[in-house]
Structure formats: structure tokens, C-alpha cells
Amino acid sequence: GADVDVPIGELHRAVLGGRGALEALRQRCGGWVKPRIVFFGEPLPSRFMQLRDADFPMCDLVLVMGTSLKVPPFSSLLAEVPLDVPRLLINRDMVGLEGPDGLEGGFRFGRHGYRDVFHCGATDAACAALAEQLGWTSDLEAILAGFGL
């Protein structure tokens, strides 16, 4: 397909609209569309490593959301942040645990995990609740509206 930017709201409506809506979107765009993300087996952009090396030493908080943490290089990123940086996992499952069968530098929840917190649940609902607690609900709603969601 063509390299076309499709607003996320339009793509969302097409997915919810079913086969006919997806086919209409394909016709308008000159081919099937996919999000600008990296799928399993695809190479990461070189920009990823450049930004990781610059950003991680300055990190104040790590938010990990909606993942299995099974695919490198993302599964190894937890070990790269400074030891005094808090890490929050928002996910339906507790993943990325440190241990003999787990990740080096992975999450350590409970009394041995001085910096790790697990919030069990759906990411959308958890982000909305976090935004509310921080007084950012109107900001989040504005961002979502900008995407047509």
C-alpha cells in the first residue's frame, strides 16, 4: 500500500465498521493501511537506539503498559534505567519479572521491590484513572479528541 497518513480516529471507525468500512478505507488510501509501529520480526528504526541511549540516563519514571515483555530489545529495557527510578507496570498480567526464569533487571514486586508497582487492569481505564488522580483529565480528553477518539 501507499505511505499515507490516516488519522487514528478514521482507522478506529473503519475497524469498528467491519469489512465494508475497511474496504472503503483501503480504496481511499490506495492499499491496506497499518499503524506506524514495528511488528514482530521487523527491524527497529535506528532512531530507537539513539534516543534510548540519550533518554534513559535522564529518566525519572518508567511506565510499562499493555505488553508481554517477551520480545527483545524491549524486554531488556527495564534493566537499563537507573536503580533509583520508579517503574510502574499497567497490564492485565504481571509480566517481566526478575528471577531464574525471568528477565535480568526485571520487575520485583512486593516487599523486595522498592521501586516497582503493579496495577492490574486495562490500560485505557488505568490511564484515565491516573490522569484523574493527577488532575490531568481535561488534558487527556483533549489529546484523545485530537485523535478523533
Side-chain angles (χ1 to χ4, degrees):
D3 189 17
V4 176
D5 283 325
V6 176
I8 192 69
E10 184 179 347
L11 179 58
H12 186 252
R13 287 186 295 279
V15 169
L16 294 178
R19 184 175 217 97
L22 287 169
E23 180 61 32
L25 180 63
R26 183 180 73 82
Q27 293 294 326
R28 278 195 310 279
C29 295
W32 294 111
V33 298
K34 83 174 196 79
R36 292 190 188 277
I37 61 172
V38 177
F39 286 107
F40 183 75
E42 292 181 333
L44 290 169
S46 60
R47 186 172 182 264
F48 170 80
M49 292 300 185
Q50 295 163 353
L51 294 177
R52 181 198 70 183
D53 293 343
D55 289 346
F56 268 59
M58 299 183 307
C59 185
D60 293 325
L61 171 67
V62 172
L63 297 173
V64 179
M65 296 184 266
T67 179
S68 66
L69 280 179
K70 293 187 186 257
V71 180
F74 296 103
S75 59
S76 64
L77 292 178
L78 287 174
E80 296 187 27
V81 295
L83 293 175
D84 63 339
V85 172
R87 306 180 301 182
L88 169 61
L89 172 64
I90 299 173
N91 213 25
R92 292 181 190 261
D93 301 303
M94 197 177 286
V95 297
L97 301 176
E98 182 176 78
D101 297 325
L103 297 175
E104 182 178 335
F107 286 115
R108 295 177 69 187
F109 299 114
R111 60 186 168 117
H112 298 293
Y114 66 95
R115 65 181 179 152
D116 295 334
V117 176
F118 175 59
H119 177 90
C120 183
T123 54
D124 288 352
C127 288
L130 181 60
E132 182 179 345
Q133 289 292 313
L134 295 169
W136 298 347
T137 299
S138 60
D139 296 318
L140 178 60
E141 289 171 350
I143 291 168
L144 293 174
F147 285 109
L149 299 174

